[in-house]
DNA sequence: TCTGGGGTCCTAGGACCC
DNA sequence: TCTGGGGTCCTAGGACCC
């Protein structure tokens, strides 16, 4: 399909199939939008390369990161290995990812979101919730607002986007899932049960393969089946939080508001490797590269963190994580590298015996960079560090010896290479 | 049919403190 | 000398989402 030319309206409908009555008397209106770009990476490729339009396209490198709807119709999905996708669909066009292009497209779409309403909660690069409650008087019905949003994204960014509209986040998300691709679906608050109960349990947010299997084993196949079970039973099946959550969703209770103030709690990076022998030194170097990448991103985001988690995956796909907490938050390469390497060396035997296929690192317990870090402009140039010692002494007197380190100070402030100084 | 890379939240046991 | 209950933090692992 020619996405850049696709006309809004092809998939627009309400549930039930009519436009009005999105507000029930005395009830809440359906004013939460879930907007979700369709096959995002693949759609950007089809937008930028017209010869790919109408063809099965996958974006991938080894595995399928995104598949166009033409490929999805032939059974391709993420994260399927690329060679399997080629077997299913021999005429598939495989495109290497261009993350900068996707980031740029995402920014432009999010600008449109923010011009639609100030209450936007981004969920990922291609997905957000929008609360349009405050807009209904001036901007028309949620259906109109959503239709306009879709039309703007198609016209100004050239991408298809599906919007689900409902009274709660969960229902809006289910609605967008049902309406995909390139659709618009409004769920009438008066008819939520009719909409929700026939759906399979796997559609419930938070039900993955494991939970789905547990529910199926007990004969619960549809949302209606789940709704017929007591909360206590659900808690016994799948645990306290998940059980309560499921019970709430099945009865379309979802009090979560669209939250504009969410910040990431951790920043990490990982790298998968094939099976086969690698020297421990090679792996250490890889880990240090990951530390560098992660701490750089932390400094760019002006965040500091305390908990360093090293993630390992072995030849047999068993996984292990090991975490250590630093006494004080930092975004400096040196202390985080020291902790990560320490963890790594403590498990050298394990790593060499079982073989690694993935190494990862994430830093959690994040705060904003100004918390716990003194903000200073150092009064010397790149090479001249003569003022450093007295500045450090000063800071240590004020914040304690352990709080202030040269590495964190220098890295935090400027990002240039730390001159090697005695401790 | 062998599984990428970025995250979130929950559970559960142990240490430690009051 | 033995003991309760509550709270917080840390760590490991599991499930889930896009």
């Amino acid at each position: 399909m020619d996405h850049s030319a696709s006309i809004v309206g092809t998939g627009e409908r309400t549930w039930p199939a009519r436009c009005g009555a999105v507000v029930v008397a005395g009830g809440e209106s359906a004013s939460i939008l879930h907007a979700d770009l369709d096959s995002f990476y693949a759609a950007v490729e089809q937008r930028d390369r017209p010869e790919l339009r109408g063809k099965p396209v996958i974006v991938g490198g080894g595995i399928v990161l995104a598949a166009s709807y033409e490929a999805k119709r032939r059974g391709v999905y993420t994260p399927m290995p690329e060679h399997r996708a080629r077997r299913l669909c021999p005429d598939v066009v495989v495109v290497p990812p261009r993350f900068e292009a996707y980031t740029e497209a995402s920014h432009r779409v999010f600008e449109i979101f923010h011009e639609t309403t100030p209450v936007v909660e981004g969920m990922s690069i291609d997905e957000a919730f929008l609360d349009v409650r405050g807009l209904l008087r001036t901007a028309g019905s949620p259906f109109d607002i959503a239709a306009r949003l879709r039309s703007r994204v198609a016209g100004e960014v050239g991408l298809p986007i599906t919007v689900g509209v409902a009274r709660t986040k969960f229902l809006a998300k289910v609605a967008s899932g049902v309406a995909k691709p390139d659709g618009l679906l409004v769920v009438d608050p008066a008819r939520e049960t009719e909409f929700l109960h026939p759906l399979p349990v796997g559609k419930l947010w938070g039900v993955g393969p494991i939970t789905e299997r547990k529910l199926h084993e007990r004969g619960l196949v549809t949302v209606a089946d789940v709704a017929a079970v007591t909360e206590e039973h659900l808690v016994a099946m799948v645990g306290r939080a998940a059980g309560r959550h499921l019970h709430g969703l099945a009865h379309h209770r979802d009090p979560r508001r669209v939250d504009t103030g969410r910040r990431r709690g951790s920043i990490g990076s990982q790298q998968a490797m094939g099976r086969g022998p690698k020297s421990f030194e090679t792996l250490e170097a890889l880990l240090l590269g990951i530390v560098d990448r992660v701490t750089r991103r932390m400094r760019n985001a002006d965040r500091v963190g305390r908990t360093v988690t090293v993630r390992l995956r072995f030849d047999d796909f068993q996984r292990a994580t090991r975490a250590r907490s630093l006494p004080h938050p930092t975004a400096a390469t040196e202390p985080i590298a020291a902790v990560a390497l320490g963890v790594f060396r403590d498990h050298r035997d394990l790593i060499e015996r079982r073989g690694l296929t993935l190494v990862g690192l994430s830093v959690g317990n994040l705060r904003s960079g100004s918390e716990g870090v003194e903000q200073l402009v150092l009064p010397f140039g790149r090479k001249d560090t003569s003022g450093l010692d007295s500045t450090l002494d000063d800071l240590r007197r004020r914040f304690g010896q352990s709080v202030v380190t040269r590495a964190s100070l220098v890295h935090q402030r400027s990002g240039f290479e730390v001159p090697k100084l005695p401790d």
Side-chain angles (χ1 to χ4, degrees):
Chain A
M1 191 202 294
D2 182 341
H3 278 135
S4 72
S6 78
I7 301 304
V8 173
T10 50
E12 289 182 7
R13 57 205 191 274
T14 57
W15 197 96
R18 60 195 168 83
C19 281
V22 288
V23 182
V24 234
E28 284 179 87
S29 60
S31 56
I32 294 178
L33 276 57
H34 180 255
D36 197 346
L37 290 153
D38 302 317
S39 296
F40 178 48
Y41 297 173
V44 172
E45 297 303 335
Q46 288 180 318
R47 177 194 69 178
D48 294 349
R49 294 172 56 183
E51 76 275 16
L52 298 179
R53 297 177 192 172
K55 291 186 183 159
V57 173
I58 63 176
V59 175
I63 62 140
V64 176
L65 291 167
S68 72
Y69 274 87
E70 295 83 358
K72 282 180 183 168
R73 275 197 287 274
R74 314 258 295 263
V76 176
Y77 56 87
T78 54
M80 176 185 279
E82 193 182 305
H83 60 83
R84 208 176 135 213
R86 285 183 191 278
R87 214 176 314 138
L88 274 171
C89 190
D91 55 333
V92 74
V93 184
V94 182
V95 181
R98 296 181 300 136
F99 290 105
E100 335 71 55
Y102 312 145
T103 306
E104 200 268 341
S106 174
H107 282 321
R108 291 175 61 195
V109 173
F110 271 78
E111 276 173 29
I112 296 175
F113 291 166
H114 284 285
E115 286 165 14
T116 301
T117 169
V119 189
V120 177
E121 178 180 349
M123 299 299 287
S124 70
I125 192 168
D126 63 354
E127 191 191 338
F129 287 103
L130 289 78
D131 190 336
V132 299
R133 214 173 5 176
L135 276 60
L136 302 185
R137 201 165 302 152
T138 50
S141 71
F143 181 94
D144 296 335
I145 295 170
R148 212 157 44 232
L149 177 71
R150 278 166 40 73
S151 156
R152 284 195 63 189
V153 171
E156 297 172 28
V157 193
L159 294 173
I161 189 165
T162 294
V163 181
V165 186
R167 185 182 52 84
T168 67
K169 282 170 127 179
F170 165 63
L171 284 165
K173 181 155 170 73
V174 174
S176 73
V178 170
K180 271 184 171 297
D182 200 17
L184 165 52
L185 180 56
V186 180
V187 178
D188 180 345
R191 318 281 295 266
E192 287 173 357
T193 302
E194 284 171 67
F195 172 70
L196 194 57
H197 277 200
L199 296 171
V201 287
K203 288 277 180 191
L204 290 169
W205 203 358
V207 176
I210 310 280
T211 306
E212 185 176 41
R213 183 170 46 75
K214 286 180 189 167
L215 295 173
H216 281 179
E217 280 167 4
R218 289 162 175 85
L220 308 184
V221 179
T222 66
V223 178
D225 296 334
V226 174
V229 176
T230 64
E231 186 173 303
E232 293 70 42
H233 272 94
L234 287 170
V235 166
M237 286 177 206
V238 300
R240 193 178 56 177
R244 288 179 180 173
H245 175 72
L246 265 177
H247 187 260
L249 294 185
H251 294 275
H252 38 85
R253 276 197 319 270
D254 179 15
R256 293 169 297 181
R257 301 325 310 175
V258 177
D259 182 355
T260 56
R262 299 227 322 207
R263 299 198 75 181
R264 277 191 299 191
S266 68
I267 292 179
S269 177
Q270 58 186 54
Q271 197 171 321
M273 306 158 275
R275 290 191 178 83
K278 307 129 194 127
S279 75
F280 193 74
E281 289 66 33
T282 309
L283 294 171
E284 283 186 328
L286 190 63
L287 179 63
L288 284 178
I290 292 171
V291 170
D292 186 55
R293 210 183 315 158
V294 169
T295 52
R296 204 177 291 274
R297 279 169 53 203
M298 291 172 68
R299 293 189 292 269
N300 284 338
D302 197 27
R303 308 294 296 278
V304 289
R306 283 187 52 221
T307 305
V308 179
T309 303
V310 174
R311 188 179 314 281
L312 306 172
R313 194 185 67 198
F314 305 105
D315 280 357
D316 58 4
F317 256 76
Q318 295 267 86
R319 288 176 296 262
T321 60
R322 292 292 180 270
R324 300 271 182 282
S325 289
L326 293 156
H328 306 284
T330 179
T333 308
E334 220 168 84
I336 291 173
V339 171
L341 275 183
V343 170
F344 213 60
R345 288 174 182 155
D346 286 347
H347 295 83
R348 179 165 186 161
D349 278 357
L350 188 72
I351 289 165
E352 293 190 327
R353 196 172 63 246
R354 303 185 57 184
L356 267 198
T357 55
L358 176 141
V359 56
L361 174 104
S362 80
V363 181
N365 248 320
L366 292 185
R367 309 152 202 225
S368 90
S370 54
E371 283 178 59
V373 176
E374 178 71 339
Q375 300 282 331
L376 278 182
V377 178
L378 296 176
F380 34 73
R382 293 172 69 99
K383 304 280 187 211
D384 174 17
T385 56
S386 57
L388 187 56
D389 281 325
S390 62
T391 307
L392 284 169
D393 285 345
D394 208 8
L395 287 171
R396 285 179 175 135
R397 267 196 296 279
R398 289 165 60 192
F399 296 101
Q401 183 72 21
S402 61
V403 176
V404 180
T405 70
R406 287 156 211 257
S408 66
L409 186 70
V410 175
H411 274 269
Q412 284 290 337
R413 290 307 117 226
S414 63
F416 63 74
E417 277 308 303
V418 191
K420 279 288 171 206
L421 294 171
D423 255 319

